Amino acid sequence: MAAENNNPEWGFGTKAVHAGQRPDPVTGAVTVPVYQTSTYQQDAVGEDRGYEYSRTGNPTRSALELSVAALEGAEFGRAFASGMAAEDTILRLLAPGDHVIMGNDAYGGTFRLISKVFTRFGISYSSANLSDPNEVKAAFTDKTRMVWAETPTNPLLSVVDIGLLATLSHEKKALLVVDNTFATPYLQKPLSLGADIVIHSATKYLGGHSDVVGGFAATNSLEIDQELAFLQNAVGAVPAPWDCYLLLRGIKTLGVRMDRHCDNAEKIVEFLSSHSKVKEVLYPGLSTHPTFSIAEKQMERYGGMISFIVNGGKEQARDIAQGTKIFTLAESLGAVESLIEIPAAMTHLSTEGSPLEVDKSLIRLSVGIETVDDLINDLDQAMS
Ligand SMILES: *Cc1c(COP(=O)(O)O)cnc(C)c1O
């Protein structure tokens, strides 16, 4: 797939608006049309114009694939119906007998997919603290073919050293997959740091408006891309043209939104850090965070996700999460509106009783792009 209408010299904002998103060659429509079609007329038997059936390829999807690949600095990109569909397809690069290493605080859906689905097909796994090189080294077996990392992690917002993990993985001939959902390519480009595949839940910041579910995989390896394209068509977890259009529309403002997410998050971190009811604030950009030196090295800025632990225990945490008026009590993240949640009772309920159990008085914020004073006032009233 050629990097159509992309100039590698362009800045992020230009790529976000134009890469893959050239005016329609037939009508001149400035916005990429929603090609709501399942099949395509052939000029002669077996002679198509690049598209034959929409599971295999669709022009709106092609535009999205070019767009996200350009933003990640990737040669190739493939869009999927959800983040989990992208993960499922990537994991099918493995064969029975292979072993995967994942973070011990991996996204719950990733953990479920590997531990409850892929183990049925002969894949084994270990989890390790990917911020600790010795733990990673100890987790490799002679069957390890893939290392699956997420950075920053959820909900502790720890940063994993992608370059170091790539070196360790490649020494053992394993692929490094990095889930870049939390950082987005605006803040961090895993492929440029040595990762083999970057994956997204496009549902979050790429879409950015809480109105579409989608996934993405990008790589610089032709061999990996061809296998992913084969699987994308063979398995069929593709996004609908309309969903591709919504994602393309969201992506145009990704850089603008990320700037505001970061600006707002930094001011809220400042507010929380000096609040008497707050015991600890977790934000990758805080110099007190244990992984700050890695974050500083591999991220442009530190994103819109904040976790904080309150002094008053789980009751107080619940009161705060239920007491906000602008922050919506909800799971998910990465959109224009601010969300608040209690991971121990919501997104991370399944970790209860395990070594990964999340502190019950930890609150997670997905900071939106509203006026920051209103967000701070909202938290202030909910906390008093
Ligand atoms: C949401 C999420 C996923 C799963 O993506 P879906 O689009 O919900 O299928 C994977 N990884 C991370 C980090 C996520 O936040």
Side-chain angles (χ1 to χ4, degrees), residues 330-344:
E331 298 187 2
S332 198
L333 61 115
V336 289
E337 65 281 330
S338 294
L339 304 179
I340 188 165
E341 70 128 352
I342 309 279

Side-chain angles (χ1 to χ4, degrees), residues 24 26 34 73 87 96 99 115 118 123 140 183 191 198 235 312 326 339 384:
D24 182 48
V26 178
V34 181
E87 295 194 12
H99 174 257
S115 68
F118 276 85
I123 307 289
F140 278 99
L191 298 177
V198 56
V235 179
I326 298 175
L339 304 179
S384 53

Side-chain angles (χ1 to χ4, degrees), residues 311-349:
N311 287 317
K314 79 172 188 188
E315 300 307 326
Q316 190 182 53
R318 270 172 196 258
D319 287 347
I320 295 169
Q322 291 172 148
T324 53
K325 299 193 168 88
I326 298 175
F327 280 85
T328 303
L329 179 63
E331 298 187 2
S332 198
L333 61 115
V336 289
E337 65 281 330
S338 294
L339 304 179
I340 188 165
E341 70 128 352
I342 309 279
M346 295 169 65
T347 48
H348 289 66
L349 186 60

Side-chain angles (χ1 to χ4, degrees), residues 182-261:
F182 271 46
T184 83
Y186 188 67
L187 302 178
Q188 162 181 292
K189 293 192 179 61
L191 298 177
S192 74
L193 298 166
D196 300 286
I197 303 174
V198 56
I199 104 111
H200 277 277
S201 168
T203 314
K204 316 294 167 50
Y205 287 104
L206 296 185
H209 295 74
S210 301
D211 55 6
V212 61
V213 171
F216 206 84
T219 180
N220 279 320
S221 154
L222 176 63
E223 197 188 335
I224 293 172
D225 180 64
Q226 285 183 340
E227 189 59 19
L228 289 176
F230 166 77
L231 289 166
Q232 184 190 40
N233 183 50
V235 179
V238 293
W242 177 253
D243 290 358
C244 295
Y245 159 77
L246 284 173
L247 289 169
L248 283 168
R249 182 179 166 124
I251 284 165
K252 289 184 188 185
T253 57
L254 179 61
V256 179
R257 284 186 283 112
M258 290 315 293
D259 279 336
R260 180 65 85 90
H261 284 300

